[in-house]
Amino acid sequence: MLKGKHILLGVTGSIAAYKSAVLVRNLVKQGAEVRVVMTEMAKQFITPLTMATLSKNPILVDFYNPENGDWNSHVSLGLWADLYLIAPCSANTMGKMVSGVADNLLLTSYLSAKCKVAVAPAMDLDMYRHPSTQRNMEILKGWGVEIIEPGSGELASGLEGKGRMAEPDDIVCQVEAIFAKEGPLKGKKVLITAGPTREPIDPVRYITNHSSGKMAYALAREAALRGADVTVVSGPVNIKAAGYPNLKVVDVTTAGEMFEATKRNVPGADAVILCAAVADFTVAHFEDKKIKREKSNYNLELTPTNDIAAWVGENRDKKTVAVGFALETNDEVQNAQGKLQKKKLDMIVLNSMRDTGAGFGYDTNKVTLFFREGEPVALPLKSKEDVAADIIDNMEKLM
Ligand code: PMT
């Protein structure tokens, strides 16, 4: 996602500066080219050698190199950067940014930056709460600076509360989201159903399936990175959704709850992707006490659940693109094409249980895409992230 992006990272004097080492490493890992500008005070918290080694670029602190007079041009730094990220950003630096003080290279670079600017504040609870800090953040926001909210927890001072710099992984997500805002799905709403459902039998037992949610969450991440506002209606999974501000998860348990949450979110959606493995049947009579094994035999009465995909196919707006999945063990092509027609979808993604490395739980998948018109597209086995990109490419063409 950050491949080839130029990120100028400003590091100010804060104990959170130690986290900026991990931040640089993660940005570089995502393909970004990173240059680091530090304040004198930041050097007391983390060494320039560490930052230079991780960023693979010399660190910039002074306006010029005292050895040879070489000038560090803040203007060209500002022009080079696609994003100027100041993390950690101390209360002092934030105040100076607002007042136009330009007494170090980090600040002159800010004043001449033509690119998007983001700051990740880091300070003690009282400093963070102080009206001047709050006002400064509001002013910066008003100027289009992205504020990466600090987290809550134990602070270096021993106080508990808000003020600690966001974790490096979360900052990388926010950075990706900043670039995503210009993506092809900018302004579009995408709804995705994910994971399995659980149909309770008694207080300790339920019926479910093997869906891990990996495929659906890969789709959610891909759509969010292309700029869409993504809502995931998710059954119980062990995945933490990427921390993008444009991606939210609505947790549900049963097929009935998934149906209701989907219905609530379909109006206004530009695309709906039905990736969840929804139970086709639920238990007719929930036993409110644990069923005892003393019974010699036990018949469970099941009733059909609502077909969420069919409801979406029938009730969506004209503009809403509907993409379903078909998980098959036999007669794959025929069944997938049948579901495409019966559920009134625009596209269906066939998963065959006969393909090794595909379907439930794997990190990879092998699918074929069917459309109402046009030839099917058979994709080779690839990571679920790459499959998600292919599915969204095809979905975009239908939007
Ligand atoms: O979660 P993973 O471990 O990554 O695995 C991914 C996956 C195998 C779950 C996924 O790729 C997949 O195939 N999902 C659909 C599974 C499924 O239930 O298929 P189906 O053929 O039974 O259902 C057809 C379509 O109707 C699907 O879009 C399904 O979401 C939808 N459906 C089914 C029943 C129901 N009551 N409501 C529905 O919306």
Side-chain angles (χ1 to χ4, degrees), residues 331-356:
D331 303 321
E332 288 89 341
V333 173
Q334 201 186 331
N335 288 337
Q337 281 174 333
K339 285 179 184 172
L340 175 70
Q341 299 302 330
K342 199 167 150 225
K343 297 180 193 241
K344 301 189 178 155
L345 305 171
D346 299 302
M347 171 174 144
I348 200 152
V349 182
L350 167 63
N351 250 148
S352 170
M353 290 288 283
R354 288 197 275 192
D355 288 326
T356 317

PDB file of all heavy atoms in Angstrom, residues 331-356:
ATOM      1  N   ASP A 331     -20.683 -30.514  -8.246  1.00  0.00           N
ATOM      2  CA  ASP A 331     -21.409 -29.755  -9.293  1.00  0.00           C
ATOM      3  C   ASP A 331     -21.198 -28.249  -9.125  1.00  0.00           C
ATOM      4  O   ASP A 331     -22.154 -27.447  -9.125  1.00  0.00           O
ATOM      5  CB  ASP A 331     -22.919 -30.058  -9.237  1.00  0.00           C
ATOM      6  CG  ASP A 331     -23.183 -31.543  -9.377  1.00  0.00           C
ATOM      7  OD1 ASP A 331     -22.480 -32.195 -10.179  1.00  0.00           O
ATOM      8  OD2 ASP A 331     -24.057 -32.065  -8.656  1.00  0.00           O
ATOM      9  N   GLU A 332     -19.929 -27.910  -8.959  1.00  0.00           N
ATOM     10  CA  GLU A 332     -19.593 -26.545  -8.539  1.00  0.00           C
ATOM     11  C   GLU A 332     -20.143 -25.463  -9.473  1.00  0.00           C
ATOM     12  O   GLU A 332     -20.813 -24.523  -9.042  1.00  0.00           O
ATOM     13  CB  GLU A 332     -18.063 -26.388  -8.443  1.00  0.00           C
ATOM     14  CG  GLU A 332     -17.440 -27.102  -7.263  1.00  0.00           C
ATOM     15  CD  GLU A 332     -17.043 -28.545  -7.549  1.00  0.00           C
ATOM     16  OE1 GLU A 332     -17.560 -29.122  -8.534  1.00  0.00           O
ATOM     17  OE2 GLU A 332     -16.235 -29.102  -6.801  1.00  0.00           O
ATOM     18  N   VAL A 333     -19.821 -25.598 -10.774  1.00  0.00           N
ATOM     19  CA  VAL A 333     -20.172 -24.535 -11.723  1.00  0.00           C
ATOM     20  C   VAL A 333     -21.689 -24.371 -11.794  1.00  0.00           C
ATOM     21  O   VAL A 333     -22.235 -23.259 -11.693  1.00  0.00           O
ATOM     22  CB  VAL A 333     -19.575 -24.836 -13.112  1.00  0.00           C
ATOM     23  CG1 VAL A 333     -20.066 -23.855 -14.161  1.00  0.00           C
ATOM     24  CG2 VAL A 333     -18.042 -24.801 -13.030  1.00  0.00           C
ATOM     25  N   GLN A 334     -22.355 -25.498 -11.911  1.00  0.00           N
ATOM     26  CA  GLN A 334     -23.825 -25.479 -12.016  1.00  0.00           C
ATOM     27  C   GLN A 334     -24.453 -24.837 -10.763  1.00  0.00           C
ATOM     28  O   GLN A 334     -25.342 -23.984 -10.862  1.00  0.00           O
ATOM     29  CB  GLN A 334     -24.275 -26.921 -12.131  1.00  0.00           C
ATOM     30  CG  GLN A 334     -25.640 -27.098 -12.723  1.00  0.00           C
ATOM     31  CD  GLN A 334     -26.027 -28.575 -12.631  1.00  0.00           C
ATOM     32  OE1 GLN A 334     -25.173 -29.474 -12.646  1.00  0.00           O
ATOM     33  NE2 GLN A 334     -27.318 -28.808 -12.527  1.00  0.00           N
ATOM     34  N   ASN A 335     -23.962 -25.245  -9.589  1.00  0.00           N
ATOM     35  CA  ASN A 335     -24.518 -24.698  -8.342  1.00  0.00           C
ATOM     36  C   ASN A 335     -24.243 -23.204  -8.216  1.00  0.00           C
ATOM     37  O   ASN A 335     -25.114 -22.428  -7.807  1.00  0.00           O
ATOM     38  CB  ASN A 335     -23.935 -25.418  -7.128  1.00  0.00           C
ATOM     39  CG  ASN A 335     -24.482 -26.826  -6.999  1.00  0.00           C
ATOM     40  OD1 ASN A 335     -25.561 -27.126  -7.512  1.00  0.00           O
ATOM     41  ND2 ASN A 335     -23.737 -27.700  -6.353  1.00  0.00           N
ATOM     42  N   ALA A 336     -23.016 -22.803  -8.563  1.00  0.00           N
ATOM     43  CA  ALA A 336     -22.663 -21.375  -8.436  1.00  0.00           C
ATOM     44  C   ALA A 336     -23.535 -20.545  -9.373  1.00  0.00           C
ATOM     45  O   ALA A 336     -24.090 -19.513  -8.967  1.00  0.00           O
ATOM     46  CB  ALA A 336     -21.187 -21.166  -8.753  1.00  0.00           C
ATOM     47  N   GLN A 337     -23.676 -21.018 -10.607  1.00  0.00           N
ATOM     48  CA  GLN A 337     -24.492 -20.254 -11.568  1.00  0.00           C
ATOM     49  C   GLN A 337     -25.953 -20.204 -11.120  1.00  0.00           C
ATOM     50  O   GLN A 337     -26.627 -19.189 -11.256  1.00  0.00           O
ATOM     51  CB  GLN A 337     -24.346 -20.841 -12.961  1.00  0.00           C
ATOM     52  CG  GLN A 337     -23.040 -20.381 -13.578  1.00  0.00           C
ATOM     53  CD  GLN A 337     -22.733 -21.036 -14.906  1.00  0.00           C
ATOM     54  OE1 GLN A 337     -23.185 -22.160 -15.159  1.00  0.00           O
ATOM     55  NE2 GLN A 337     -21.938 -20.374 -15.731  1.00  0.00           N
ATOM     56  N   GLY A 338     -26.406 -21.317 -10.544  1.00  0.00           N
ATOM     57  CA  GLY A 338     -27.785 -21.373 -10.025  1.00  0.00           C
ATOM     58  C   GLY A 338     -27.989 -20.341  -8.923  1.00  0.00           C
ATOM     59  O   GLY A 338     -28.984 -19.606  -8.904  1.00  0.00           O
ATOM     60  N   LYS A 339     -27.009 -20.223  -8.003  1.00  0.00           N
ATOM     61  CA  LYS A 339     -27.135 -19.276  -6.882  1.00  0.00           C
ATOM     62  C   LYS A 339     -27.073 -17.829  -7.376  1.00  0.00           C
ATOM     63  O   LYS A 339     -27.763 -16.957  -6.845  1.00  0.00           O
ATOM     64  CB  LYS A 339     -26.030 -19.534  -5.844  1.00  0.00           C
ATOM     65  CG  LYS A 339     -26.296 -20.789  -5.012  1.00  0.00           C
ATOM     66  CD  LYS A 339     -25.194 -21.072  -4.005  1.00  0.00           C
ATOM     67  CE  LYS A 339     -25.496 -22.388  -3.291  1.00  0.00           C
ATOM     68  NZ  LYS A 339     -24.407 -22.851  -2.425  1.00  0.00           N
ATOM     69  N   LEU A 340     -26.243 -17.603  -8.396  1.00  0.00           N
ATOM     70  CA  LEU A 340     -26.136 -16.253  -8.971  1.00  0.00           C
ATOM     71  C   LEU A 340     -27.511 -15.783  -9.451  1.00  0.00           C
ATOM     72  O   LEU A 340     -27.945 -14.654  -9.179  1.00  0.00           O
ATOM     73  CB  LEU A 340     -25.134 -16.282 -10.135  1.00  0.00           C
ATOM     74  CG  LEU A 340     -24.943 -15.022 -10.959  1.00  0.00           C
ATOM     75  CD1 LEU A 340     -24.231 -13.948 -10.140  1.00  0.00           C
ATOM     76  CD2 LEU A 340     -24.113 -15.306 -12.218  1.00  0.00           C
ATOM     77  N   GLN A 341     -28.231 -16.694 -10.156  1.00  0.00           N
ATOM     78  CA  GLN A 341     -29.544 -16.349 -10.714  1.00  0.00           C
ATOM     79  C   GLN A 341     -30.590 -16.274  -9.602  1.00  0.00           C
ATOM     80  O   GLN A 341     -31.305 -15.284  -9.478  1.00  0.00           O
ATOM     81  CB  GLN A 341     -29.991 -17.405 -11.748  1.00  0.00           C
ATOM     82  CG  GLN A 341     -29.073 -17.567 -12.950  1.00  0.00           C
ATOM     83  CD  GLN A 341     -28.877 -16.277 -13.734  1.00  0.00           C
ATOM     84  OE1 GLN A 341     -29.766 -15.421 -13.775  1.00  0.00           O
ATOM     85  NE2 GLN A 341     -27.705 -16.123 -14.342  1.00  0.00           N
ATOM     86  N   LYS A 342     -30.640 -17.331  -8.779  1.00  0.00           N
ATOM     87  CA  LYS A 342     -31.707 -17.451  -7.779  1.00  0.00           C
ATOM     88  C   LYS A 342     -31.657 -16.314  -6.758  1.00  0.00           C
ATOM     89  O   LYS A 342     -32.679 -15.777  -6.336  1.00  0.00           O
ATOM     90  CB  LYS A 342     -31.559 -18.798  -7.069  1.00  0.00           C
ATOM     91  CG  LYS A 342     -32.792 -19.251  -6.361  1.00  0.00           C
ATOM     92  CD  LYS A 342     -32.711 -20.706  -5.951  1.00  0.00           C
ATOM     93  CE  LYS A 342     -33.526 -20.897  -4.697  1.00  0.00           C
ATOM     94  NZ  LYS A 342     -32.878 -21.682  -3.685  1.00  0.00           N
ATOM     95  N   LYS A 343     -30.422 -15.915  -6.376  1.00  0.00           N
ATOM     96  CA  LYS A 343     -30.282 -14.871  -5.348  1.00  0.00           C
ATOM     97  C   LYS A 343     -30.221 -13.477  -5.968  1.00  0.00           C
ATOM     98  O   LYS A 343     -30.013 -12.492  -5.274  1.00  0.00           O
ATOM     99  CB  LYS A 343     -29.045 -15.153  -4.485  1.00  0.00           C
ATOM    100  CG  LYS A 343     -29.158 -16.476  -3.704  1.00  0.00           C
ATOM    101  CD  LYS A 343     -27.936 -16.752  -2.838  1.00  0.00           C
ATOM    102  CE  LYS A 343     -27.935 -18.191  -2.343  1.00  0.00           C
ATOM    103  NZ  LYS A 343     -27.984 -18.331  -0.902  1.00  0.00           N
ATOM    104  N   LYS A 344     -30.345 -13.423  -7.310  1.00  0.00           N
ATOM    105  CA  LYS A 344     -30.373 -12.138  -8.041  1.00  0.00           C
ATOM    106  C   LYS A 344     -29.139 -11.281  -7.738  1.00  0.00           C
ATOM    107  O   LYS A 344     -29.247 -10.107  -7.353  1.00  0.00           O
ATOM    108  CB  LYS A 344     -31.646 -11.366  -7.732  1.00  0.00           C
ATOM    109  CG  LYS A 344     -32.894 -12.140  -8.104  1.00  0.00           C
ATOM    110  CD  LYS A 344     -34.111 -11.274  -7.988  1.00  0.00           C
ATOM    111  CE  LYS A 344     -35.348 -12.043  -8.410  1.00  0.00           C
ATOM    112  NZ  LYS A 344     -36.575 -11.579  -7.848  1.00  0.00           N
ATOM    113  N   LEU A 345     -27.962 -11.916  -7.874  1.00  0.00           N
ATOM    114  CA  LEU A 345     -26.710 -11.213  -7.593  1.00  0.00           C
ATOM    115  C   LEU A 345     -26.082 -10.749  -8.908  1.00  0.00           C
ATOM    116  O   LEU A 345     -26.476 -11.204  -9.987  1.00  0.00           O
ATOM    117  CB  LEU A 345     -25.753 -12.160  -6.850  1.00  0.00           C
ATOM    118  CG  LEU A 345     -26.322 -12.773  -5.561  1.00  0.00           C
ATOM    119  CD1 LEU A 345     -25.404 -13.856  -5.023  1.00  0.00           C
ATOM    120  CD2 LEU A 345     -26.568 -11.697  -4.501  1.00  0.00           C
ATOM    121  N   ASP A 346     -25.085  -9.859  -8.821  1.00  0.00           N
ATOM    122  CA  ASP A 346     -24.381  -9.412 -10.030  1.00  0.00           C
ATOM    123  C   ASP A 346     -23.157 -10.270 -10.309  1.00  0.00           C
ATOM    124  O   ASP A 346     -22.677 -10.349 -11.426  1.00  0.00           O
ATOM    125  CB  ASP A 346     -23.916  -7.954  -9.860  1.00  0.00           C
ATOM    126  CG  ASP A 346     -25.095  -7.035  -9.639  1.00  0.00           C
ATOM    127  OD1 ASP A 346     -25.969  -7.010 -10.516  1.00  0.00           O
ATOM    128  OD2 ASP A 346     -25.158  -6.381  -8.578  1.00  0.00           O
ATOM    129  N   MET A 347     -22.631 -10.853  -9.240  1.00  0.00           N
ATOM    130  CA  MET A 347     -21.392 -11.643  -9.384  1.00  0.00           C
ATOM    131  C   MET A 347     -21.382 -12.667  -8.266  1.00  0.00           C
ATOM    132  O   MET A 347     -21.897 -12.412  -7.175  1.00  0.00           O
ATOM    133  CB  MET A 347     -20.217 -10.675  -9.249  1.00  0.00           C
ATOM    134  CG  MET A 347     -18.863 -11.295  -9.163  1.00  0.00           C
ATOM    135  SD  MET A 347     -17.671  -9.886  -9.181  1.00  0.00           S
ATOM    136  CE  MET A 347     -16.453 -10.475  -8.089  1.00  0.00           C
ATOM    137  N   ILE A 348     -20.835 -13.851  -8.554  1.00  0.00           N
ATOM    138  CA  ILE A 348     -20.697 -14.852  -7.487  1.00  0.00           C
ATOM    139  C   ILE A 348     -19.297 -15.444  -7.548  1.00  0.00           C
ATOM    140  O   ILE A 348     -18.720 -15.627  -8.627  1.00  0.00           O
ATOM    141  CB  ILE A 348     -21.812 -15.919  -7.530  1.00  0.00           C
ATOM    142  CG1 ILE A 348     -21.933 -16.607  -6.166  1.00  0.00           C
ATOM    143  CG2 ILE A 348     -21.595 -16.963  -8.632  1.00  0.00           C
ATOM    144  CD1 ILE A 348     -23.322 -17.153  -5.858  1.00  0.00           C
ATOM    145  N   VAL A 349     -18.743 -15.671  -6.357  1.00  0.00           N
ATOM    146  CA  VAL A 349     -17.365 -16.166  -6.235  1.00  0.00           C
ATOM    147  C   VAL A 349     -17.456 -17.638  -5.816  1.00  0.00           C
ATOM    148  O   VAL A 349     -17.916 -17.944  -4.722  1.00  0.00           O
ATOM    149  CB  VAL A 349     -16.613 -15.342  -5.157  1.00  0.00           C
ATOM    150  CG1 VAL A 349     -15.166 -15.813  -5.050  1.00  0.00           C
ATOM    151  CG2 VAL A 349     -16.691 -13.846  -5.448  1.00  0.00           C
ATOM    152  N   LEU A 350     -17.030 -18.501  -6.706  1.00  0.00           N
ATOM    153  CA  LEU A 350     -17.119 -19.942  -6.413  1.00  0.00           C
ATOM    154  C   LEU A 350     -15.884 -20.421  -5.670  1.00  0.00           C
ATOM    155  O   LEU A 350     -14.751 -20.211  -6.101  1.00  0.00           O
ATOM    156  CB  LEU A 350     -17.254 -20.734  -7.726  1.00  0.00           C
ATOM    157  CG  LEU A 350     -17.055 -22.255  -7.616  1.00  0.00           C
ATOM    158  CD1 LEU A 350     -18.119 -22.897  -6.736  1.00  0.00           C
ATOM    159  CD2 LEU A 350     -17.067 -22.893  -9.007  1.00  0.00           C
ATOM    160  N   ASN A 351     -16.140 -21.094  -4.557  1.00  0.00           N
ATOM    161  CA  ASN A 351     -15.109 -21.770  -3.772  1.00  0.00           C
ATOM    162  C   ASN A 351     -15.428 -23.250  -3.811  1.00  0.00           C
ATOM    163  O   ASN A 351     -16.520 -23.635  -3.404  1.00  0.00           O
ATOM    164  CB  ASN A 351     -15.249 -21.375  -2.298  1.00  0.00           C
ATOM    165  CG  ASN A 351     -14.141 -20.500  -1.785  1.00  0.00           C
ATOM    166  OD1 ASN A 351     -14.378 -19.673  -0.918  1.00  0.00           O
ATOM    167  ND2 ASN A 351     -12.967 -20.657  -2.278  1.00  0.00           N
ATOM    168  N   SER A 352     -14.481 -24.064  -4.300  1.00  0.00           N
ATOM    169  CA  SER A 352     -14.742 -25.504  -4.273  1.00  0.00           C
ATOM    170  C   SER A 352     -13.987 -26.126  -3.112  1.00  0.00           C
ATOM    171  O   SER A 352     -12.790 -25.893  -2.945  1.00  0.00           O
ATOM    172  CB  SER A 352     -14.295 -26.154  -5.575  1.00  0.00           C
ATOM    173  OG  SER A 352     -14.349 -27.556  -5.415  1.00  0.00           O
ATOM    174  N   MET A 353     -14.701 -26.930  -2.320  1.00  0.00           N
ATOM    175  CA  MET A 353     -14.063 -27.625  -1.190  1.00  0.00           C
ATOM    176  C   MET A 353     -13.079 -28.679  -1.694  1.00  0.00           C
ATOM    177  O   MET A 353     -12.311 -29.237  -0.920  1.00  0.00           O
ATOM    178  CB  MET A 353     -15.125 -28.289  -0.300  1.00  0.00           C
ATOM    179  CG  MET A 353     -15.982 -27.329   0.485  1.00  0.00           C
ATOM    180  SD  MET A 353     -15.098 -26.527   1.834  1.00  0.00           S
ATOM    181  CE  MET A 353     -15.076 -27.843   3.040  1.00  0.00           C
ATOM    182  N   ARG A 354     -13.110 -28.945  -3.004  1.00  0.00           N
ATOM    183  CA  ARG A 354     -12.192 -29.962  -3.545  1.00  0.00           C
ATOM    184  C   ARG A 354     -10.806 -29.397  -3.859  1.00  0.00           C
ATOM    185  O   ARG A 354      -9.888 -30.137  -4.164  1.00  0.00           O
ATOM    186  CB  ARG A 354     -12.797 -30.580  -4.806  1.00  0.00           C
ATOM    187  CG  ARG A 354     -13.969 -31.482  -4.453  1.00  0.00           C
ATOM    188  CD  ARG A 354     -14.311 -32.381  -5.580  1.00  0.00           C
ATOM    189  NE  ARG A 354     -15.196 -31.744  -6.536  1.00  0.00           N
ATOM    190  CZ  ARG A 354     -15.832 -32.410  -7.502  1.00  0.00           C
ATOM    191  NH1 ARG A 354     -15.638 -33.700  -7.624  1.00  0.00           N
ATOM    192  NH2 ARG A 354     -16.636 -31.776  -8.326  1.00  0.00           N
ATOM    193  N   ASP A 355     -10.688 -28.060  -3.821  1.00  0.00           N
ATOM    194  CA  ASP A 355      -9.389 -27.442  -4.130  1.00  0.00           C
ATOM    195  C   ASP A 355      -8.519 -27.368  -2.873  1.00  0.00           C
ATOM    196  O   ASP A 355      -8.915 -26.745  -1.878  1.00  0.00           O
ATOM    197  CB  ASP A 355      -9.593 -26.022  -4.685  1.00  0.00           C
ATOM    198  CG  ASP A 355     -10.148 -26.043  -6.093  1.00  0.00           C
ATOM    199  OD1 ASP A 355      -9.798 -26.979  -6.845  1.00  0.00           O
ATOM    200  OD2 ASP A 355     -10.941 -25.138  -6.431  1.00  0.00           O
ATOM    201  N   THR A 356      -7.352 -27.962  -2.955  1.00  0.00           N
ATOM    202  CA  THR A 356      -6.442 -27.925  -1.800  1.00  0.00           C
ATOM    203  C   THR A 356      -5.967 -26.486  -1.590  1.00  0.00           C
ATOM    204  O   THR A 356      -5.651 -25.783  -2.547  1.00  0.00           O
ATOM    205  CB  THR A 356      -5.204 -28.821  -2.078  1.00  0.00           C
ATOM    206  OG1 THR A 356      -5.670 -30.014  -2.668  1.00  0.00           O
ATOM    207  CG2 THR A 356      -4.422 -29.118  -0.817  1.00  0.00           C
TER     208      THR A 356
END
